[in-house]
Amino acid sequence: MPCTITVIPFGIDTIQERSRMTGDTRQDPASVRSNIWEFNFTLETVLLLVLGIFMLIFGILLVFINTGALPYTPDSTYGLFLVLVALQVITMGKTPFGEVRRTWLVIIAGICAGILGMTACFIPGALSGIIHDLVGALLLVGGIALLLQLVLNKEKAALWIRIPGILRHLTVACGLVYTLSVLLGLITLLPGLVDNAVTSVFLILSGLSLFYLAWSIQKAYTLYSPQATQSAGPLPQGSGNVPFFFRDAPISFTFALLLFLGVLLALLAVLLVPVNLGLIPFSPDGQLGLLIVIMAIQFLAMGETPVGQFRRTWLILFAGLLFVTLGSIASIVPGVLTPVLVVTLATLNIFGGIIPLTIRVLPVFRALINPPAQKAVIPPPLKKLLITQSVLNIVGILFGLSMLLPGVIPGLVVAVILFANGLLLFVLAYILSTLTAPE
């Protein structure tokens, strides 16, 4: 059963506010120390780690791509990058140009960016020029904008650099990430500006600098009290005088991710119709890479796996990072991991449907055999949730079988299954939002 959580994006601006108000006030480390077998990475840390792995893997593989030892699919590579950017926008309001209020307009813009990235992953050649220039522009213009904000804002680098400890690391990490973003943007927009070997070095450095930034933000999170983020109260939700698109979108990470997955599967289903009719090409590697990376983000952010939800232990962390690596390789280099990922994703979908369905159905059979003295009354919203989840489990099993037994289930039927899966995710997101009203 998906767990709805509320994530407070405790990032750079929050740290700046805390340091401005209280200097280098810190928490007792014992008060934030978690179980040694668990990790408490924030959502921002998770997404930075995922993006860092993608950049690092891309840089390493580019060395072999340049020699001709490996094939390369730029469309799904740029597409996956754009999807990761879109996830940051939708879940945290963090854009390539800086942090903004997470209004419905921002959510819609993030979903549109995600659709462009998904299409590039699924349909090679459809958006080659557009996606290439868009990613280059985001890296270049976004890097310049963030670098200027860091340097010119007196409450950022100028303040942080004077405070010993983690805030100095944060300043250096931000500077490195933003500078490398500018350089990679120039290289993307101006092919041939530097040798491909230099591009590989910049990508590897970018991945390492993103790890450094993720560590800095996570370390700051454990040292500075997050109470400052809660003292200001909830964000204003707008009023009748404010147009809907400019009102804040108070949605949880779970809701945002379900919405994003619903869009992804619905889009994939729609595109599979002309694919099965032979009208447009299709990239199975781009599809597999994207789905595996999204699944890995669920691992890392919530401990949510296809076979159930678990505590976020270091084993879950390792599994999540491994899947991010596999998904990144599949998106960048076609054909290398296709058979392995098909079996992996299909098996996870099948068992991810069978196990929860069995756990949910067994108590019903026990109750039929040995009726309880007093029949339990299930509230209507919870009943809708259980029915929706059960149908999703069945659809997941069918999708897994279609991957393991290609040709047995017709391609157009698979498209219908995926579209139904996407619609059910929208329904699930809505039901969860009604069950988890904010306090």
Side-chain angles (χ1 to χ4, degrees), residues 295 298-299 302-310 316 348 352:
M295 182 180 67
Q298 290 180 285
F299 276 34
M302 300 184 294
E304 182 73 32
T305 75
V307 294
Q309 185 164 13
F310 300 90
I316 291 292
L348 288 174

Side-chain angles (χ1 to χ4, degrees), residues 12-341:
I12 295 171
D13 291 331
T14 304
I15 297 167
Q16 168 256 312
E17 179 65 17
R18 174 69 179 174
S19 63
R20 184 180 65 80
M21 293 189 300
T22 63
D24 196 29
T25 303
R26 300 164 185 256
Q27 285 184 304
D28 178 3
S31 66
V32 295
R33 188 181 297 123
S34 62
N35 188 308
I36 60 172
W37 299 110
E38 298 181 25
F39 66 94
N40 62 341
F41 292 169
T42 64
L43 176 58
E44 186 169 9
T45 301
V46 165
L47 292 178
L48 286 173
L49 281 175
V50 171
L51 192 56
I53 290 175
F54 169 77
M55 289 294 199
L56 182 63
I57 294 298
F58 187 18
I60 294 172
L61 292 177
L62 195 58
V63 175
F64 301 96
I65 292 170
N66 291 332
T67 64
L70 291 174
Y72 173 49
T73 51
D75 285 357
S76 57
T77 301
Y78 293 131
L80 179 56
F81 174 82
L82 193 57
V83 166
L84 294 177
V85 170
L87 275 173
Q88 288 184 308
V89 173
I90 294 169
T91 57
M92 298 186 296
K94 292 184 179 292
T95 76
F97 313 104
E99 188 168 1
V100 298
R101 283 176 48 231
R102 200 164 59 122
T103 62
W104 287 110
L105 182 61
V106 170
I107 297 291
I108 293 171
I111 290 175
C112 290
I115 290 174
L116 285 176
M118 294 171 197
T119 304
C121 286
F122 299 151
I123 311 299
L127 299 172
S128 296
I130 295 173
I131 207 77
H132 173 274
D133 294 342
L134 179 58
V135 169
L138 289 177
L139 287 169
L140 176 61
V141 181
I144 292 173
L146 291 170
L147 198 57
L148 289 175
Q149 291 173 40
L150 179 69
V151 174
L152 298 180
N153 191 331
K154 295 181 180 179
E155 294 187 340
K156 289 193 174 181
L159 172 64
W160 300 345
I161 205 71
R162 295 198 299 268
I163 302 176
I166 193 59
L167 293 184
R168 286 184 180 173
H169 285 285
L170 188 60
T171 307
V172 175
C174 287
L176 286 172
V177 169
Y178 302 159
T179 301
L180 287 165
S181 175
V182 173
L183 294 174
L184 288 172
L186 283 171
I187 292 171
T188 304
L189 291 174
L190 303 172
L193 182 64
V194 296
D195 186 79
N196 286 334
V198 177
T199 304
S200 298
V201 173
F202 283 158
L203 284 168
I204 292 172
L205 290 175
S206 178
L208 295 176
S209 66
L210 284 165
F211 294 153
Y212 184 25
L213 179 58
W215 172 81
S216 299
I217 288 178
Q218 185 63 31
K219 188 72 172 177
Y221 176 81
T222 61
L223 293 177
Y224 291 86
S225 171
Q227 294 176 352
T229 64
Q230 302 170 354
S231 59
L235 290 172
Q237 300 306 315
S239 65
N241 298 324
V242 179
F244 171 79
F245 292 111
F246 298 101
R247 298 181 187 178
D248 291 297
I251 59 177
S252 68
F253 170 69
T254 299
F255 185 97
L257 192 58
L258 287 173
L259 181 65
F260 199 76
L261 281 170
V263 170
L264 186 155
L265 293 177
L267 176 64
L268 178 57
V270 170
L271 292 176
L272 280 180
V273 175
V275 167
N276 281 283
L277 295 176
L279 300 176
I280 58 175
F282 182 67
S283 172
D285 298 285
Q287 172 205 359
L288 291 169
L290 179 57
L291 291 176
I292 289 288
V293 170
I294 297 294
M295 182 180 67
I297 291 173
Q298 290 180 285
F299 276 34
L300 297 169
M302 300 184 294
E304 182 73 32
T305 75
V307 294
Q309 185 164 13
F310 300 90
R311 291 183 304 166
R312 293 199 300 167
T313 63
W314 292 102
L315 180 60
I316 291 292
L317 174 65
F318 174 77
L321 297 181
L322 175 62
F323 278 117
V324 172
T325 302
L326 295 176
S328 299
I329 294 173
S331 297
I332 298 167
V333 180
V336 175
L337 296 176
T338 306
V340 175
L341 292 186

